[in-house]
Amino acid sequence: MKKEQVVNCQFSVWYPIFKKHTIKSLILPLPQNVIEYLLDDGTLVVAGSDHNTYTHCNSDLNAEEDIQWSDDETTATVTAPEFPEFSSHVLEAINALGGSVFPKLNWSAPRDANWIALNSSLQCHSLSDIFLLFKSSDFITHDLTQPFLLCSDQDSPDPVIHYELVLRKWSELIPGGEFRCFVKENKLIAVSQRDHTQFYQHIPKQEEQICQAIQLFFSQNIQYNFLDEDFVFDVYRDSQGRVWLIDLNPFGEVTDALLFSWEELTSGELTQQQEGPAFRYATSEVTVQPSPCLSYRIPRDFVDLSTGEDAYKLIDFLKLKKRQQEDSEE
């Protein structure tokens, strides 16, 4: 995988080529001060919302069972930065796309951060929704700091990247209709179920139709039209059997091979075994695999504490903090 291949898979590069075959989207330049805000490791204070301050109060715990909070103690307030012009452009774009959007940067979407959203969804209605996901996502940080990390031509200078916020019109996609397709030397060599964490009964029943539809879509719309001959593209097959392009990715380890391995995909082993593309999917509940995004989530106890769903955990936590404070004073 070369740096040029990574550059060619930026959304703003491929979207104009395949615009009529994918979901309507708008692209906004990402100002430098917004990039700096997204990379700031400080307290997570979300800009773009109506409540842009975070107040932290330091108070003593008076009793184990009767906790008193006081406004008289030292109070530290952190204020979120404001981006009025950028916020205005984002709001205008969201409204133009129907009021709900799927956000991403040049390459990645914050799929590893959906746990932090109130509805565990990447559906966004405002800039604050987008910022919350982006600031919580390692995928977004990778885009901003190490987009060429796994490239083979590390000795060559990094291309200049102009970062962009991509807003895609929100569409309710059924995960069982998504597939990842691997292309080598402009030949479709493999197709994988995109969501390998679930078994979908319709896939084995419609295996032949699905594979034929993807191959036809590739030969008519994608093949020889992209800038590279090695690449990965994601598609969605809707209930009417129509195939839509969802994303393009570099052909290399930076892209998840899902039910294949990169050794298989690069060795030529798959093309020797059969004429058409290899098609893999979960064949039963036994063959499903855990979601790779699970490792990015926080422990359940943290969720209970932050939401107040388990009062006993909160009491135990406050008791522990008091005990630690007493030990430190001694």
Side-chain angles (χ1 to χ4, degrees):
M1 181 180 69
K2 305 290 186 180
K3 292 179 180 179
E4 183 181 9
Q5 291 175 280
V6 176
V7 170
N8 290 342
C9 285
Q10 291 182 100
F11 186 87
S12 59
V13 174
W14 67 258
Y15 181 70
I17 303 173
F18 304 112
K19 188 175 182 178
K20 65 180 180 179
H21 304 297
T22 190
I23 298 169
K24 182 180 180 181
S25 307
L26 294 174
I27 304 169
L28 302 175
L30 203 61
Q32 183 59 37
N33 59 346
V34 174
I35 296 175
E36 293 170 357
Y37 166 68
L38 293 176
L39 292 174
D40 180 17
D41 287 332
T43 304
L44 177 57
V45 184
V46 181
S49 65
D50 294 332
H51 307 285
N52 284 337
T53 59
Y54 168 79
T55 303
H56 175 72
C57 298
N58 297 318
S59 60
D60 293 329
L61 303 180
N62 296 325
E64 291 185 357
E65 301 298 337
D66 185 16
I67 307 301
Q68 300 292 329
W69 297 97
S70 173
D71 292 332
D72 298 331
E73 304 294 339
T74 303
T75 301
T77 301
V78 181
T79 303
E82 294 295 329
F83 314 101
E85 185 176 355
F86 180 66
S87 299
S88 176
H89 292 324
V90 171
L91 181 59
E92 183 180 344
I94 291 176
N95 290 333
L97 293 171
S100 300
V101 297
F102 175 90
K104 62 179 296 181
L105 286 188
N106 301 42
W107 297 279
S108 302
R111 294 182 181 275
D112 58 326
N114 65 340
W115 58 268
I116 202 170
L118 292 177
N119 56 355
S120 296
S121 169
L122 297 183
Q123 183 178 11
C124 294
H125 305 279
S126 66
L127 181 58
S128 61
D129 292 343
I130 297 170
F131 277 156
L132 180 63
L133 290 170
F134 278 16
K135 283 185 70 67
S136 307
S137 172
D138 287 346
F139 294 175
I140 295 299
T141 301
H142 175 271
D143 270 18
L144 294 173
T145 60
Q146 298 176 311
F148 307 109
L149 179 64
L150 298 177
C151 292
S152 58
D153 52 344
Q154 288 294 328
D155 293 337
S156 64
D158 288 348
V160 176
I161 299 298
H162 300 287
Y163 284 100
E164 300 156 334
L165 171 63
V166 177
L167 300 176
R168 314 206 69 184
K169 183 179 177 65
W170 180 259
S171 302
E172 293 288 350
L173 303 183
I174 301 172
E178 296 183 80
F179 301 91
R180 172 156 290 180
C181 309
F182 301 87
V183 178
K184 185 173 177 58
E185 297 177 355
N186 272 317
K187 180 181 179 181
L188 182 61
I189 63 170
V191 177
S192 172
Q193 173 182 330
R194 183 73 175 84
D195 178 19
H196 55 39
T197 66
Q198 300 292 329
F199 167 63
Y200 297 98
Q201 294 183 354
H202 74 278
I203 296 181
K205 294 177 181 178
Q206 302 176 17
E207 176 180 355
E208 186 175 349
Q209 299 96 306
I210 292 171
C211 209
Q212 287 178 352
I214 292 175
Q215 286 181 276
L216 183 62
F217 177 79
F218 171 69
S219 62
Q220 291 183 343
N221 306 304
I222 306 296
Q223 192 174 28
Y224 305 118
N225 290 327
F226 189 51
L227 301 176
D228 295 314
E229 60 178 16
D230 298 344
F231 57 94
V232 179
F233 68 98
D234 294 336
V235 296
Y236 179 74
R237 182 174 179 265
D238 63 25
S239 58
Q240 306 300 316
R242 181 175 178 180
V243 177
W244 300 85
L245 178 64
I246 300 300
D247 204 1
L248 272 99
N249 300 285
F251 189 88
E253 293 184 9
V254 69
T255 302
D256 192 342
L258 301 178
L259 295 176
F260 294 91
S261 70
W262 276 109
E263 183 178 354
E264 288 178 294
L265 294 167
T266 56
S267 66
E269 173 185 337
L270 295 174
T271 55
Q272 295 173 1
Q273 294 176 352
Q274 57 191 82
E275 292 185 6
F279 184 28
R280 290 184 185 172
Y281 51 86
T283 55
S284 69
E285 298 287 355
V286 179
T287 60
V288 300
Q289 299 183 15
S291 170
C293 290
L294 287 176
S295 60
Y296 296 96
R297 299 187 179 186
I298 59 176
R300 179 69 201 180
D301 286 351
F302 278 51
V303 177
D304 291 339
L305 283 172
S306 64
T307 59
E309 290 184 5
D310 192 327
Y312 292 103
K313 286 181 181 177
L314 179 59
I315 292 171
D316 290 341
F317 175 72
L318 293 174
K319 286 181 178 179
L320 176 62
K321 295 299 291 184
K322 182 183 179 182
R323 194 174 300 115
Q324 289 176 338
Q325 184 179 15
E326 291 173 347
D327 291 343
S328 63
E329 289 175 353
E330 293 175 358

